[in-house]
């Protein structure tokens, strides 16, 4: 039974809140009722004491002789005494009494009623006296207790019914208070799986953190999917040319009747496989960085990276293609910088006038790659580097990802990428590296 209750409470927020609020309300109600009953009894006792005092004052003021007290005497002589009095003379002798056994002589007059024991019962009495007489007026304490008990029963019954009436109201109020949660649930239930837009519904401040956390989660999932799509596009872009070259070399090896041509083609195919393997490694490294993996920098040599990139691009390594004015020691990620150089050189080869006009210049932290191509218009220049953007009228194959990969790698190194048209004609890609990279 206890396990069922625990299961019920753990799986129903309405039930849990109703129980907790009911318990809290019950505790507050009990404390309130106890205080109320205490104050009610106290006020009742004070009212009855004032009533007793007023009755005593009335008897004392109207006291003439014993005949004045006889109506009160016969009225109060029954087995259920409400009020009683005793009149004694100066020597303490009994003059008249409404009780079978008169009240004993009291030491002095009293301003306020007080409690005595008389004939085995508790009495609340008040005393009036002068030099000749002493009037003692009292009432059984059980009268006060009876009234207080009846008052307690009435208040307790009223409080119980009020609490029972409050329970369904609490349940209704809690259900209405949790209605925004149902609105959020309904909004989520109606969404398509690919809808990752943030929730815009208005909710109370208590539910706002939940809505904001859901919106953050939607944004994170959206970014993850965008990175996956970006990696797929990058991989397709980068692998298209190497795979096409491999196919050409393999077909040449298959179809050539000459052994030396077949061996040369197979050698180029193996070299192409090695380049493709390095390219896949570079793409995977870029993908890991896209997913938040920490970039690890190490000491690099820009001239050595440039020579390797020229070899992979089948360009000669001479003073016409590589100019090193000053080699500054710096830090970076060699795999990603190799990918950056490869994309810059591929872009130059596609759009340059002649391959012999491609030139890499290294001066300190500046890497500059130029060609003698037609360049681009000023309007297109501002958009180069955007993913999938290609200037209109291009005859060369491509999808517009090469320079976007270059920009991303430059950003990861804290480098500044500048794209410009040369005054003498041609296009220039310049990367200015940051020497303050962490160790």
């Amino acid at each position: 039974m206890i396990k069922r209750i625990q299961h019920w409470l753990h799986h129903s927020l309405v039930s849990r809140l109703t129980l907790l609020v009911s318990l809290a309300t019950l505790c507050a109600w009990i404390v309130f009722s106890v205080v109320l009953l205490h104050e009610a009894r106290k006020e009742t006792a004070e009212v009855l004491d004032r009533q007793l005092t007023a009755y005593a004052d009335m008897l004392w003021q109207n006291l003439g002789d014993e005949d004045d007290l006889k109506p009160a005497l016969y009225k109060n002589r029954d087995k259920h005494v409400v009020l009683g009095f005793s009149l004694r003379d100066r020597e303490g002798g009994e003059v008249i009494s409404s009780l079978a056994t008169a009240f004993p002589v009291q030491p002095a007059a009293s301003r306020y009623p007080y409690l005595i024991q008389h004939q085995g019962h508790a009495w609340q009495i008040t005393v009036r006296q002068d030099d000749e007489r002493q009037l003692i007026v009292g009432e059984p304490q059980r009268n006060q207790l009876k009234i207080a008990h009846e008052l307690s029963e009435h208040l307790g019954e009223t409080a119980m019914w009020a609490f029972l009436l409050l329970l369904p109201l609490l349940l209704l109020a809690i259900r209405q208070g949790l209605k925004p949660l149902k609105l959020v649930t309904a909004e989520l239930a109606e969404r398509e799986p690919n809808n990752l837009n943030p929730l815009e519904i208005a909710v109370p401040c208590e539910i706002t953190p939940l809505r904001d956390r859901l919106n953050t989660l939607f944004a994170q999932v959206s970014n993850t999917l965008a990175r996956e799509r970006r990696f797929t596009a990058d991989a397709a872009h980068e692998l298209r040319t190497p795979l096409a070259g491999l196919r050409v070399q393999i077909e040449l090896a298959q179809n050539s009747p000459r052994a030396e041509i077949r061996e040369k083609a197979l050698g180029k195919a193996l070299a192409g496989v090695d380049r493709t393997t390095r390219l896949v490694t570079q793409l995977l490294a870029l993908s890991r960085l896209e997913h938040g993996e920490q970039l690890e920098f190490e000491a690099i040599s820009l001239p050595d990276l440039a020579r390797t990139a020229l070899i992979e691009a089948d360009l000669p390594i001479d003073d016409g293609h590589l100019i090193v004015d000053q080699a500054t020691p710096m830090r970076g990620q060699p795999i990603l910088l190799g990918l950056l150089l490869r994309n810059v050189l591929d872009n130059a080869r596609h759009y340059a006038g002649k391959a012999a006009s491609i030139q890499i210049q290294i001066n300190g932290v500046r890497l500059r790659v130029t060609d003698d191509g037609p360049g681009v218009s000023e309007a297109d220049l501002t958009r180069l580097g955007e993913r999938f953007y290609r200037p209109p009228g291009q005859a060369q194959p491509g999808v517009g990802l090469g320079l976007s990969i270059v920009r991303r790698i430059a950003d990861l190194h804290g480098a500044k990428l500048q794209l410009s048209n040369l005054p003498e004609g041609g296009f220039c890609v310049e990367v200015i590296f940051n020497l303050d990279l962490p160790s």
Side-chain angles (χ1 to χ4, degrees):
M1 183 65 181
I2 296 178
K3 290 184 177 180
R4 285 187 177 182
I5 294 176
Q6 291 176 344
H7 177 80
W8 176 61
L9 292 177
H10 282 298
H11 288 78
S12 175
L13 188 59
V14 173
S15 302
R16 180 184 296 183
L17 285 176
T18 302
L19 178 62
L20 293 177
V21 173
S22 298
L23 289 176
T25 305
L26 180 60
C27 292
W29 208 268
I30 291 175
V31 172
F32 169 76
S33 299
V34 170
V35 173
L36 180 63
L37 289 175
H38 174 75
E39 292 298 322
R41 289 190 175 190
K42 180 180 177 182
E43 292 297 325
T44 302
E46 291 178 358
V47 169
L48 294 177
D49 286 345
R50 286 196 295 270
Q51 180 180 348
L52 178 63
T53 300
Y55 184 70
D57 290 339
M58 181 187 66
L59 287 178
W60 181 253
Q61 292 171 3
N62 296 320
L63 191 62
D65 55 29
E66 291 79 355
D67 293 335
D68 295 331
L69 297 178
K70 285 183 178 179
L73 176 68
Y74 294 116
K75 180 179 180 181
N76 288 287
R77 274 190 172 172
D78 55 30
K79 53 193 302 183
H80 300 292
V81 178
V82 177
L83 286 173
F85 67 91
S86 296
L87 182 65
R88 293 184 176 274
D89 56 22
R90 182 169 53 181
E91 285 76 22
E94 178 182 338
V95 177
I96 192 170
S97 176
S98 65
L99 304 175
T101 303
F103 287 121
V105 177
Q106 299 301 308
S110 63
R111 184 176 180 183
Y112 300 105
Y114 59 91
L115 193 66
I116 66 169
Q117 293 293 326
H118 178 62
Q119 294 294 308
H121 298 285
W123 289 76
Q124 195 80 1
I125 66 168
T126 183
V127 180
R128 302 292 182 271
Q129 69 177 22
D130 56 16
D131 293 339
E132 301 295 330
R133 295 168 297 183
Q134 184 181 72
L135 178 65
I136 307 165
V137 182
E139 65 173 339
Q141 192 187 31
R142 65 173 179 268
N143 293 346
Q144 291 189 2
L145 296 178
K146 181 180 178 182
I147 295 175
H149 180 70
E150 292 176 352
L151 180 63
S152 300
E153 285 184 348
H154 177 71
L155 290 177
E157 183 178 353
T158 304
M160 182 188 69
W161 284 110
F163 180 73
L164 293 178
L165 178 63
L166 182 63
L167 285 180
L169 296 178
L170 284 175
L171 181 60
L172 179 62
I174 290 173
R175 287 185 178 276
Q176 287 296 115
L178 294 178
K179 195 173 182 180
L181 280 178
K182 294 184 178 180
L183 295 178
V184 175
T185 303
E187 171 72 16
L188 294 175
E190 294 175 358
R191 284 196 162 210
E192 295 295 332
N194 59 348
N195 185 0
L196 296 176
N197 295 325
L199 292 172
E200 299 294 345
I201 58 176
V203 295
C205 60
E206 292 82 4
I207 308 178
T208 300
L210 174 62
R211 184 199 61 187
D212 294 343
R213 188 67 189 92
L214 282 174
N215 289 339
T216 302
L217 180 61
F218 290 155
Q220 291 172 345
V221 173
S222 180
N223 291 335
T224 300
L225 293 177
R227 287 194 297 265
E228 296 295 339
R229 288 191 292 267
R230 186 159 54 239
F231 172 73
T232 302
D234 291 346
H237 170 266
E238 294 294 329
L239 292 174
R240 180 183 293 108
T241 301
L243 291 177
L246 283 174
R247 182 177 180 84
V248 170
Q249 297 299 330
I250 293 173
E251 288 179 349
L252 181 61
Q254 284 179 333
N255 299 326
S256 177
R258 299 173 59 182
E260 62 273 14
I261 295 179
R262 290 197 301 271
E263 290 180 3
K264 185 177 180 180
L266 288 175
K268 289 185 177 181
L270 289 174
V273 170
D274 293 337
R275 287 195 296 269
T276 304
T277 301
R278 287 194 296 273
L279 176 59
V280 170
T281 302
Q282 293 170 340
L283 289 172
L284 291 175
L286 182 61
S287 175
R288 287 194 296 269
L289 294 175
E290 291 279 358
H291 285 78
E293 185 174 310
Q294 185 66 33
L295 188 64
E296 296 181 359
F297 299 108
E298 59 185 75
I300 60 169
S301 170
L302 276 182
D304 291 343
L305 291 174
R307 293 186 186 95
T308 302
L310 287 171
I311 293 173
E312 292 183 348
D314 292 328
L315 295 174
I317 306 174
D318 53 35
D319 292 340
H321 288 84
L322 178 60
I323 300 175
V324 180
D325 294 333
Q326 179 184 356
T328 301
M330 55 185 298
R331 301 183 64 80
Q333 219 294 325
I335 294 178
L336 295 183
L337 291 179
L339 183 60
L340 178 146
L341 282 166
R342 179 185 179 280
N343 276 279
V344 173
L345 290 175
D346 283 348
N347 189 75
R349 290 181 65 182
H350 283 140
Y351 302 107
K354 293 185 295 185
S357 299
I358 298 175
Q359 188 177 79
I360 300 178
Q361 301 175 11
I362 298 175
N363 186 359
V365 295
R366 291 178 178 267
L367 172 68
R368 196 166 183 261
V369 181
T370 60
D371 61 58
D372 63 345
V376 297
S377 67
E378 292 298 324
D380 292 330
L381 191 62
T382 59
R383 296 195 59 188
L384 284 181
E386 295 181 9
R387 295 179 64 81
F388 302 108
Y389 175 76
R390 301 186 72 220
Q394 294 293 327
Q396 295 291 338
V399 293
L401 284 174
L403 289 180
S404 71
I405 295 175
V406 171
R407 186 178 295 278
R408 175 60 178 154
I409 295 174
D411 291 341
L412 290 172
H413 284 78
K416 184 178 180 181
L417 178 66
Q418 294 180 345
L419 307 176
S420 61
N421 292 313
L422 295 175
E424 63 275 14
F427 189 71
C428 175
V429 177
E430 187 173 21
V431 183
I432 305 173
F433 290 94
N434 180 13
L435 287 178
D436 297 328
L437 295 177
S439 302

